[in-house]
């Protein structure tokens, strides 16, 4: 069996390349090159803008995932949903430079009633769109709206094919409801004769569901999703790691020596919470600045003191458990290790 992390990266390269060629413009390409050049030089103050934006439609979630960062690390944001008008402001501010907007962060995006209009507006603005969902909150007509929104990539997170296994990780989840909604979604895509979105069934492999890998392959085949991704779990609790090391992230294999790289999130991405507060990446869950993406200057936001400090970090500092990046696996891989 090939290491599933390597297989995952290969699949994501194809998706990333298709989005790059579809949505590339000269200003976007120049900004991307500038951002990567600044990352290469490890500059702490940036003159480039983020080329990937992660928007949080809501921080309310119905799944109760065991290793959700919101629960593990704590989140000081009050519950809420981003208004459609505020989302449009963000899209307008970044549309000249952003290749992709991910509509998901620490919450179930379909819980925001305006999510379909948000995706549609981003698509009409010439930006690639991605959404990850547990597919439990699906109302009548939602499948058609999702297919017709212009969404490019859709990930359905499913980490078990029996309620016993699924509920162990997604503790408030109902696997029967997810499978039913998935079948309805695929039926809508066929009926509407649409190629997009490219639908991926994501299975995070851990100790308690590794025996269901063949079963999820059969489910993917039966429901006719476009793609199945077996994703190695990343968690500080190593007790949940699967028994087969080919199902590990490479960083967990002792004989593997991976060099820590300059994390692309800090130079090329930005997380915007439902209330406009900002994060430098998806690992740091608490905003370290009072600046707001709805109103404040972009360069002031991406070059706030905390962001500059983290970009200037040394490897020795990161290895301290007091550092905000401690325990994050992203810098040991590239952009394609991330969910896209």
């Amino acid at each position: 069996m090939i290491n599933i992390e390597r297989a995952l990266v290969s699949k994501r390269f194809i998706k990333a390349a298709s989005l790059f060629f579809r949505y590339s413009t000269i200003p976007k390409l120049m900004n991307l090159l500038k951002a990567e050049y600044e990352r290469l030089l490890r500059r702490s103050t940036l003159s480039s803008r983020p080329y990937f934006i992660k928007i949080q439609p809501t921080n309310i979630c119905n799944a109760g995932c065991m290793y959700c960062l919101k629960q593990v690390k704590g989140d000081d944001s009050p519950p809420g949903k981003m208004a459609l008008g505020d989302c449009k402001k963000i899209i307008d501010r970044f549309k000249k430079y952003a290749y992709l907007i991910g509509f998901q962060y620490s919450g179930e995006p379909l819980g925001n009633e305006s999510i379909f209009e948000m995706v549609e507006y981003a698509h009409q603005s010439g930006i690639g769109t991605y959404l990850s969902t547990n597919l439990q909150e699906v109302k009548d007509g939602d499948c058609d709206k999702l297919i017709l929104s212009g969404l490019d990539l859709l990930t359905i997170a499913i980490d078990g094919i029996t309620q016993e296994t699924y509920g162990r990780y997604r503790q408030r989840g109902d696997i029967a409801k997810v499978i039913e909604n998935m079948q309805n979604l695929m039926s809508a895509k066929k009926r509407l004769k649409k190629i997009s979105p490219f639908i991926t069934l994501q299975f995070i492999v851990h100790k308690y569901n590794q025996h269901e890998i063949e079963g999820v392959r059969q489910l993917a085949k039966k429901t006719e999703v476009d793609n199945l991704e077996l994703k190695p779990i990343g968690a500080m609790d190593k007790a949940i790691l699967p028994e087969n090391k080919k199902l590990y992230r490479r960083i967990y294999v002792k004989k593997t020596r991976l060099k820590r790289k300059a994390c692309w999130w800090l130079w090329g991405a930005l997380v915007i919470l439902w209330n406009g507060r900002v994060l430098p990446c998806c690992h740091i869950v608490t905003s370290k600045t009072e600046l707001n993406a709805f109103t404040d200057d972009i360069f002031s936001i991406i070059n706030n003191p905390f962001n500059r400090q983290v970009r200037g970090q040394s490897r020795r500092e990161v290895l301290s458990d007091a550092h905000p990046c401690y325990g994050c696996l992203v810098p040991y891989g590239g952009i394609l290790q991330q969910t896209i």
Side-chain angles (χ1 to χ4, degrees), residues 1 22 26 65 70 88 114 121 124 132 142 158 172 176 221 227 242 258 291 319:
M1 181 192 296
R22 181 174 182 181
I26 291 177
C65 297
K70 182 178 178 180
K88 287 183 175 181
S114 299
Y121 190 76
Q124 292 173 347
S132 179
D142 281 359
I158 178 172
R172 295 194 299 269
K221 186 176 181 180
N227 181 36
L258 297 178
L291 296 173
L319 294 178

Side-chain angles (χ1 to χ4, degrees), residues 146-160:
L146 199 56
I147 299 298
L148 295 172
S149 65
L151 181 67
D152 290 291
L153 304 175
L154 174 65
T155 293
I156 303 170
I158 178 172
D159 309 311

